[in-house]
Amino acid sequence: MTEFYFIRHGQTEANAEGIKQGTINTDISNLNDTGKSQIKKLHEVFNISFADELIHSPLNRTIESAQILNEGYNLPMSTDERLLEISYGEWDGQKNSELREKYPRYFDKHLQDVLPDYVEVATKGETFPQVVARVKSFLLEKTLNTPDKKYIVVTHGFTTKAAALGVVEPQNPMTLPEPNNASVTKIVTLARTQEMYLEYYNREFKF
């Protein structure tokens, strides 16, 4: 059995300002003071010494989160491009409120988040299935090559949601909201059957 603990990075200034980050990697997408505090508090209550490796997205907000989490544990760290956040194409860097006002039919009214068909108007945006496929390939590769390992995976909101979508395969992907900053999601996989299980989602440890 392979175990994956997906952790969403801490809050960024873009998160706080309601900006759709996607794959932007500028100062506004770095951790703010709240985000650093969130990850430091998670570090205090979530002992990751049981894991074999820490893998993170290449973006600065996940690198910084990973470094904070790994303080004192010194797990081997590596980067995987498949853990990048979804790219919203030309919507990256724009305010969610302005996008919702301009394109209301492409947003879920309850979650206030983009619907899968947003790519009809956001040029060069990734589709939901594309992100699910690349994250699922990451899970399967690690499962088949290292079937008994435990991984800490520091990544993004939609990327974590995509991992869960690939496991539970709901008819409507909007039934699963994105997880909160500094939350933990656990997925376990079986190499022999390639079955996957979502053990918990968006778990916030008591600080």
Side-chain angles (χ1 to χ4, degrees), residues 14 30 106 114 138 149 159 202:
N30 292 337
Y106 293 100
V114 295
F138 163 80
K149 283 200 171 183
T159 312
N202 194 28

Coordinates of all heavy atoms in Angstrom, one line a residue, residues 14 30 106 114 138 149 159 202:
A14 N -2.3 36.6 -2.9 CA -3.3 36.4 -4.0 C -4.6 35.7 -3.4 O -5.7 36.1 -3.8 CB -2.8 35.6 -5.1
N30 N 3.4 34.4 -3.3 CA 4.2 33.9 -2.2 C 3.3 33.8 -1.0 O 2.3 34.5 -0.8 CB 5.4 34.7 -2.0 CG 6.4 34.6 -3.2 OD1 6.4 33.6 -3.9 ND2 7.2 35.6 -3.3
Y106 N -20.3 30.7 -16.0 CA -19.1 29.8 -15.9 C -18.7 29.6 -14.4 O -17.6 29.1 -14.2 CB -18.0 30.3 -16.7 CG -18.3 30.3 -18.2 CD1 -18.7 31.4 -18.9 CD2 -18.2 29.1 -18.9 CE1 -19.0 31.4 -20.3 CE2 -18.5 29.0 -20.3 CZ -18.9 30.2 -20.9 OH -19.2 30.1 -22.3
V114 N -15.0 28.2 -10.5 CA -15.2 28.0 -12.0 C -15.8 26.6 -12.2 O -15.5 25.7 -11.5 CB -13.9 28.2 -12.8 CG1 -13.4 29.6 -12.7 CG2 -12.8 27.2 -12.3
F138 N 0.8 10.7 -11.7 CA 1.7 10.8 -10.6 C 1.5 9.7 -9.6 O 2.4 9.0 -9.1 CB 1.6 12.2 -10.0 CG 2.3 12.3 -8.6 CD1 3.6 12.5 -8.5 CD2 1.5 12.3 -7.5 CE1 4.2 12.6 -7.2 CE2 2.0 12.4 -6.2 CZ 3.4 12.5 -6.1
K149 N 5.8 2.8 -0.1 CA 6.3 4.1 0.5 C 5.1 5.0 0.9 O 4.0 4.9 0.5 CB 7.2 4.8 -0.5 CG 8.6 4.2 -0.6 CD 9.6 5.1 -1.3 CE 11.0 4.6 -1.2 NZ 12.0 5.5 -1.7
T159 N -5.3 21.1 -7.5 CA -4.5 19.9 -7.7 C -4.9 18.8 -6.7 O -5.0 17.6 -7.1 CB -3.0 20.2 -7.6 OG1 -2.7 21.3 -8.3 CG2 -2.2 19.0 -8.1
N202 N -9.5 17.3 3.1 CA -9.6 18.7 3.6 C -9.5 18.6 5.2 O -10.3 19.4 5.8 CB -10.8 19.4 3.1 CG -10.8 20.9 3.4 OD1 -9.8 21.5 3.5 ND2 -12.0 21.4 3.6

